[in-house]
Amino acid sequence: MSAESKDGRDQRVATVAATIAFVVGIGGGIAFAIVYSVGAETGWYTQALGGSLAVATAAIGIGSVIWAHKLMPHGPEEEERPFPGGNPDERAKMLATYDDSLEEIGRRRLLGRLLFAAVGVTGLASLFPIRSLGPSPFPERARTAWNRGVRLVTEEGHPVPVDELDVNGILTVFPEGHIHDADAQTVLLRVPSDIFEPLDGREDWSVDGYVAYSKVCTHNGCPVGLYQVETQQLFCPCHQSAFDVLQGAKPTFGPATRPLPQLPLAVDGQGYLIARGDYDVPVGPGFWTWPSAARQETG
Amino acid sequence: MIERLARWVDRRVGGSEFAEKKLTKIFPESWTFLFGEVALYCFVILVMTGTFLAVFYESSLVDTTYEGSYAPLRGVEMTAAYHSVIQLSFDVRAGLFFRQMHHWAALVFVAAIVVHLSRVFFTGAFRRPRELNWAIGVTLLLISLIEGFAGYSLLDDLLSGTGLRIAHAVMESIPLIGTWTTSLIFGGPFPGEYIMSRLFTGHVFLLPALLAGLIGVHLALVFRQTHTQFPGPGRTQRNVVGARLWPTYTAMSFGMFALTTAVLAALGGLVQINPVWYYGPYEPFIVSTGAQPDWYMGWLEGALRIFPAWEFTGWGFMLANPFFPAVLLPTLTFVVLYFYPALERTLTRDWGYHHILDRPRDRPIRTAFGAAGLSFYVVLHIAGAQDIIATQLNVSIVSTMYTLRAAALVVPILVALITYRWCRDLAGSSQRPARAGAEAEAAQPAPRPAPAYGHGASPAEEE
């Protein structure tokens, strides 16, 4: 068999293959339209849409590639590169034209400077509306909705009586009137009294084994929602920081650097848990002005 | 028909000579050149499916109660944003299909960009005169990452809300401007009043417009500067060998578009992605275990997880922990990417034009550096799943984290050494003629006396 007739046969095979592919493409397109129109009630709607569109476009793609590869001229053809390009003469001419234009306007130097100044001033002034985007981060970033005498409420809004939790129990609480507030979310834990030693200066921050920490992780702000009772650790599922409940929620593992702020607790006249004040430092992740925000709060 | 159209245009606009040249423009053929095209066609699919989604999406944090056809969520309080996504998924014809196709297209888009960037890097296609297009490509990657994250965050499901909470923390950790910028962008303390509508504006208008514009410039530069080609018989610095733009290359490229669409349609229809109705609406006080971001954010997630618990306070300011893994690391990453061509040019003192590509084995130092860099990000990516690894392998999270920290430092060095050695062995063992050919090509530019073309120009000429 000569090379020519082999080529001829290859081309015939390719033509047949591309023909089949394009016919399948037509069929796939029709199938997609039918599936879309009548298939919505079937349990396989999404799959059938994807399947039919995939068949249609795959067939079109395969047919096109066969056509291009086997039946179109491939050369290989050659073309000269215009690059490395750039023509020094044209460049010199362009620069000369630019210099000439400078000379023409050069006599109006004061006008040029004034225009420059006016555009600059107006441009800077037009940056001011950026401030409309949002409020100042302060004092909100430095404090939360917790305050002296504010009741702890559950995510449904119920106040928390002193006998709410069993020992080793955990509950997410909010300041009354601020349910679901992202920054004020707090975990209330009831630690066995025999192993709980309040930190110096925080002797009167817990009641009956109840201790409350900010639920906002000091690393990236995820809710520190996992409580491992055996080791008395709070655990953040986002980046695996762990905090020791018995030591003022000091970080013990992972990327977190600062303890979870502790909420000072008390009991009101009706036997419900209340806060004695706000957190003494900003909750959540660190930020550039954190130290001054922390001072603002204590001061 | 075509003739009349051509006459109509030519009499009013002209440009027939230009069009004729473009029709016969030559493009070299190699399967390694396809990844950029795949990315381009993913972008086209993203715009088309995204337009469909945008018609139904509502960028609002207003509370509503779900009463639609998906029973498990009936009666659940949720934001209008999440509500519209659930409606789109269950009650809009083909809504779920286009949503899944859009998500898959985004994942493949970024993947294709990364593979394309790696191809350009390892073959040295970024060298003079293509440094500008390299920088545009790196910018496209950067915008794509932000664009992808913004789109992912629009759904306001539990996972994306958690991601947004982390992004908030990262943004706040930026020195000097972080606290204020974050408050402005979110429109107040987290979660902020306006964040959804701003993400939406960014995701469907600002960032796609930037991407489309830069893709246009990227392609125009490929046209203008001509495509690189691998060494081979008859291929020199001064010619392009391959197939014509019309019809062969156009048909090939159209086929690639159809095949990319086919893969994305199959994925979108058959492979479930981001089933947000299982995750539930976002509440800032709820979090799930085993949470994972989209793949292209995995390296940052991993870096946040295994970076040591460092934080620095002084002079009334704080360099918060997320700054190092999630602000400094990506900044350095992109600085290195942007300046790599200049860095290599300076170190190798090679100021010449390069239209002939390198085989990676012939540039062992560059290849080793690139492989080491990739391996570093792969380790970080794996670290982004350290909790899942710990539970699956039944090892403690403590040892997992320390292992990954060590791996992030050691693996890149090992990979660099192995790659360097491997390149040397391959180059040494490959057939003499091919090797000699490659060397001849590489050596070609400098001695050519072609002043008008500026071969081997000095750094001063560079400016």
Side-chain angles (χ1 to χ4, degrees):
Chain A
M1 197 187 286
S2 75
E4 247 173 49
S5 68
K6 187 181 173 295
D7 274 0
R9 205 187 58 192
D10 276 1
Q11 293 212 348
R12 272 204 312 282
V13 171
T15 312
V16 170
T19 308
I20 294 172
F22 290 143
V23 170
V24 172
I26 294 170
I30 293 170
F32 182 76
I34 293 173
V35 168
Y36 176 83
S37 309
V38 302
E41 303 309 316
T42 69
W44 294 89
Y45 187 48
T46 303
Q47 289 85 342
L49 282 171
S52 54
L53 185 59
V55 167
T57 48
I60 293 170
I62 291 167
S64 307
V65 171
I66 292 173
W67 191 0
H69 248 301
K70 302 284 182 192
L71 304 171
M72 284 183 186
H74 270 264
E77 295 192 63
E78 197 178 332
E79 182 188 52
E80 218 174 275
R81 286 184 199 276
F83 262 71
N87 183 326
D89 297 341
E90 281 175 17
R91 192 163 63 219
K93 203 174 139 198
M94 187 266 286
L95 288 173
T97 309
Y98 175 71
D99 285 344
D100 289 351
S101 70
L102 278 192
E103 242 165 64
E104 282 164 26
I105 60 171
R107 276 164 288 171
R108 306 274 178 274
R109 197 154 285 168
L110 178 67
L111 270 188
R113 282 178 189 162
L114 280 177
L115 174 64
F116 191 80
V119 170
V121 168
T122 311
L124 284 177
S126 67
L127 292 178
F128 275 60
I130 289 176
R131 179 64 178 74
S132 311
L133 286 173
S136 161
F138 304 106
E140 278 81 1
R141 196 57 188 85
R143 48 165 296 114
T144 70
W146 289 108
N147 250 322
R148 188 174 186 82
V150 170
R151 271 188 182 164
L152 281 58
V153 297
T154 64
E155 57 175 286
E156 287 87 27
H158 308 305
V160 182
V162 208
D163 56 358
E164 173 85 12
L165 285 184
D166 293 331
V167 169
N168 290 329
I170 178 172
L171 184 70
T172 299
V173 293
F174 299 92
E176 191 162 32
H178 293 87
I179 313 177
H180 299 191
D181 184 285
D183 281 344
Q185 56 174 308
T186 297
V187 275
L188 180 67
L189 307 163
R190 193 162 192 189
V191 188
S193 326
D194 54 324
I195 57 168
F196 183 66
E197 285 271 339
L199 294 188
D200 288 346
R202 297 187 182 178
E203 288 83 358
D204 53 354
W205 285 23
S206 40
V207 178
D208 255 358
Y210 280 103
V211 54
Y213 295 111
S214 166
K215 198 178 175 180
V216 190
C217 185
T218 55
H219 175 231
N220 267 190
C222 289
V224 188
L226 303 179
Y227 180 29
Q228 194 173 38
V229 170
E230 307 90 78
T231 57
Q232 291 293 336
Q233 305 260 324
L234 280 168
F235 193 72
C236 177
C238 278
H239 304 104
Q240 291 80 46
S241 292
F243 303 89
D244 189 338
V245 170
L246 298 181
Q247 296 186 56
K250 186 182 86 177
T252 54
F253 178 74
T257 51
R258 279 165 290 108
L260 300 168
Q262 186 177 349
L263 187 73
L265 297 176
V267 180
D268 69 6
Q270 288 145 298
Y272 292 109
L273 287 170
I274 56 169
R276 297 168 63 105
D278 196 0
Y279 292 108
D280 61 351
V281 289
V283 298
F287 48 96
W288 181 244
T289 45
W290 193 93
S292 52
R295 269 202 308 279
Q296 205 172 326
E297 185 50 36
T298 48
Chain B
M1 176 62 190
I2 292 286
E3 194 188 323
R4 281 174 58 191
L5 182 69
R7 191 170 60 223
W8 195 94
V9 173
D10 194 42
R11 282 185 174 162
R12 284 156 185 83
V13 187
S16 288
E17 190 195 350
F18 177 81
E20 195 275 336
K21 271 196 191 144
K22 293 307 145 194
L23 286 177
T24 58
K25 194 172 176 60
I26 304 298
F27 276 94
E29 293 177 272
S30 161
W31 62 270
T32 61
F33 298 162
L34 292 177
F35 304 112
E37 262 184 77
V38 172
L40 171 69
Y41 294 134
C42 283
F43 182 73
V44 174
I45 297 290
L46 282 166
V47 170
M48 295 201 292
T49 52
T51 306
F52 183 90
L53 303 182
V55 172
F56 300 99
Y57 176 76
E58 201 174 327
S59 62
S60 156
L61 287 178
V62 172
D63 276 322
T64 57
T65 309
Y66 182 72
E67 298 296 347
S69 65
Y70 182 64
L73 283 178
R74 258 180 228 149
V76 173
E77 288 257 323
M78 52 181 66
T79 58
Y82 182 74
H83 189 275
S84 70
V85 174
I86 300 297
Q87 286 287 108
L88 171 75
S89 302
F90 290 105
D91 296 307
V92 173
R93 274 197 179 201
L96 178 61
F97 171 57
F98 284 127
R99 221 200 89 215
Q100 295 197 139
M101 196 169 166
H102 190 74
H103 198 132
W104 274 115
L107 300 183
V108 177
F109 178 55
V110 186
I113 292 177
V114 171
V115 177
H116 173 60
L117 179 135
S118 304
R119 195 283 292 172
V120 168
F121 177 87
F122 286 112
T123 60
F126 55 81
R127 292 173 296 175
R128 197 177 184 201
R130 298 184 179 77
E131 305 97 319
L132 178 61
N133 228 12
W134 166 266
I136 292 170
V138 172
T139 309
L140 283 168
L141 172 64
L142 178 63
I143 298 173
S144 302
L145 294 177
I146 302 168
E147 171 72 345
F149 184 79
Y152 178 83
S153 300
L154 285 175
L155 282 67
D156 204 30
D157 60 290
L158 187 55
L159 273 185
S160 75
T162 306
L164 209 48
R165 184 67 187 89
I166 296 168
H168 184 275
V170 170
M171 222 182 272
E172 264 196 335
S173 75
I174 299 170
L176 216 61
I177 57 169
T179 324
W180 260 99
T181 310
T182 312
S183 185
L184 291 180
I185 289 177
F186 279 75
F190 187 81
E193 270 182 73
Y194 302 110
I195 186 62
M196 277 306 148
S197 53
R198 282 170 195 175
L199 283 171
F200 187 62
T201 310
H203 181 73
V204 307
F205 174 68
L206 195 61
L207 297 173
L210 274 174
L211 283 174
L214 285 175
I215 288 172
V217 179
H218 200 63
L219 293 177
L221 279 177
V222 172
F223 254 75
R224 172 75 186 142
Q225 299 186 320
T226 65
H227 206 287
T228 51
Q229 59 193 356
F230 280 104
R235 298 177 184 182
T236 72
Q237 287 280 9
R238 297 170 157 252
N239 71 359
V240 193
V241 178
R244 281 188 182 185
L245 176 64
W246 181 267
T248 313
Y249 198 83
T250 307
M252 291 279 284
S253 194
F254 176 75
M256 274 312 294
F257 178 35
L259 289 173
T260 306
T261 313
V263 171
L264 297 178
L267 287 169
L270 305 175
V271 188
Q272 186 179 65
I273 185 92
N274 206 20
V276 286
W277 51 91
Y278 291 143
Y279 308 152
Y282 177 60
E283 291 286 0
F285 56 95
I286 298 174
V287 72
S288 69
T289 53
Q292 301 283 287
D294 273 351
W295 80 267
Y296 49 82
M297 286 287 149
W299 59 291
L300 289 172
E301 173 77 2
L304 278 168
R305 289 179 183 208
I306 64 170
F307 192 79
W310 295 347
E311 198 159 82
F312 301 101
T313 311
W315 299 284
F317 298 107
M318 175 187 275
L319 273 178
N321 180 276
F323 167 73
F324 302 98
V327 179
L328 191 60
L329 171 72
T331 306
L332 288 177
T333 302
F334 277 91
V335 165
V336 169
L337 282 173
Y338 275 117
F339 287 99
Y340 184 80
L343 181 75
E344 187 181 295
R345 222 165 39 201
T346 312
L347 292 180
T348 59
R349 310 192 141 276
D350 177 359
W351 313 99
Y353 285 90
H354 294 278
H355 297 296
I356 299 287
L357 294 172
D358 291 327
R359 287 191 312 173
R361 67 183 65 170
D362 294 327
R363 292 282 181 272
I365 293 178
R366 179 206 292 149
T367 305
F369 176 74
L374 281 180
S375 71
F376 175 65
Y377 294 101
V378 169
V379 171
L380 290 184
H381 190 89
I382 293 169
Q386 65 169 1
D387 53 336
I388 292 171
I389 292 168
T391 34
Q392 291 294 316
L393 301 182
N394 209 11
V395 288
S396 85
I397 189 75
V398 181
S399 51
T400 310
M401 190 187 77
Y402 287 116
T403 309
L404 285 163
R405 273 186 190 171
L409 299 175
V410 175
V411 167
I413 297 170
L414 286 179
V415 167
L417 293 174
I418 293 168
T419 311
Y420 183 80
R421 194 54 211 271
W422 198 5
C423 287
R424 279 307 182 78
D425 290 353
L426 278 173
S429 70
S430 60
Q431 290 171 347
R432 281 293 126 191
R435 172 117 175 91
E439 267 169 4
E441 291 293 356
Q444 215 170 19
R448 261 185 197 228
Y453 278 55
H455 273 307
S458 67
E461 168 77 6
E462 191 71 14
E463 309 306 320

